[in-house]
Amino acid sequence: PGAADALLAALPKANIDQTLFICKALAKIRPKKAVGPLLEKWKLVPGGAPGTRYIPDVLAAIGDRSVVPRLVAPLGKCRFDHRLHVARALGILGGAEAEKALEDLAANDPFRGVREEAERALAKLRAAKTK
């Protein structure tokens, strides 16, 4: 518990590299109390600090599907690497809104890698539905 608190205290002012390492650590710990601070940091995404691209990974590891609208909101404005991580996270989190966003990414994203990741995530979600 103390490690999560220390990481969350450092997150708001963390630079690019620190954000990356904080996210990797939080993804292993998966504290539910990290959702709010991570979503606050996610608001910076259209500006595109590379370390923030790992925020969707942490949120997916935590497994709180309520974050999907906040992950999807900046997709039209963020860099391809952020969209790639969001696609992967949406495939883990699932739900109707995640599936809709993945369909849009698979059909319309200008970056082939994002389209392919969205297609993989969609296939995974749809396979899980048939089981």
Side-chain angles (χ1 to χ4, degrees):
D5 292 338
L7 293 166
L8 292 172
L11 182 64
K13 294 183 181 180
N15 67 26
I16 293 168
D17 294 329
Q18 292 165 334
T19 299
L20 177 137
F21 292 114
I22 290 169
C23 285
K24 287 183 178 262
L26 288 172
K28 291 181 186 225
I29 301 169
R30 294 179 278 184
K32 295 228 184 265
K33 63 184 168 184
V35 171
L38 287 165
L39 289 174
E40 277 302 306
K41 189 82 168 186
W42 185 246
K43 288 179 183 177
L44 305 174
V45 163
T52 57
R53 70 180 168 223
Y54 294 98
I55 290 173
D57 302 329
V58 182
L59 294 169
I62 293 169
D64 183 348
R65 194 178 281 172
S66 72
V67 304
V68 169
R70 299 277 296 278
L71 287 177
V72 171
L75 280 177
K77 301 176 195 166
C78 62
R79 296 163 25 140
F80 77 92
D81 52 341
H82 286 82
R83 296 190 312 271
L84 186 75
H85 284 263
V86 169
R88 189 172 302 127
L90 294 176
I92 293 167
L93 293 167
E97 190 168 1
E99 193 167 337
K100 183 176 183 254
L102 287 167
E103 288 169 350
D104 184 58
L105 287 170
N108 302 310
D109 197 275
F111 189 70
R112 188 174 109 198
V114 174
R115 291 192 308 271
E116 290 172 353
E117 184 62 39
E119 289 168 3
R120 277 191 292 274
L122 272 172
K124 179 180 166 187
L125 287 177
R126 290 175 177 158
K129 283 183 183 180
T130 61
K131 289 184 180 182

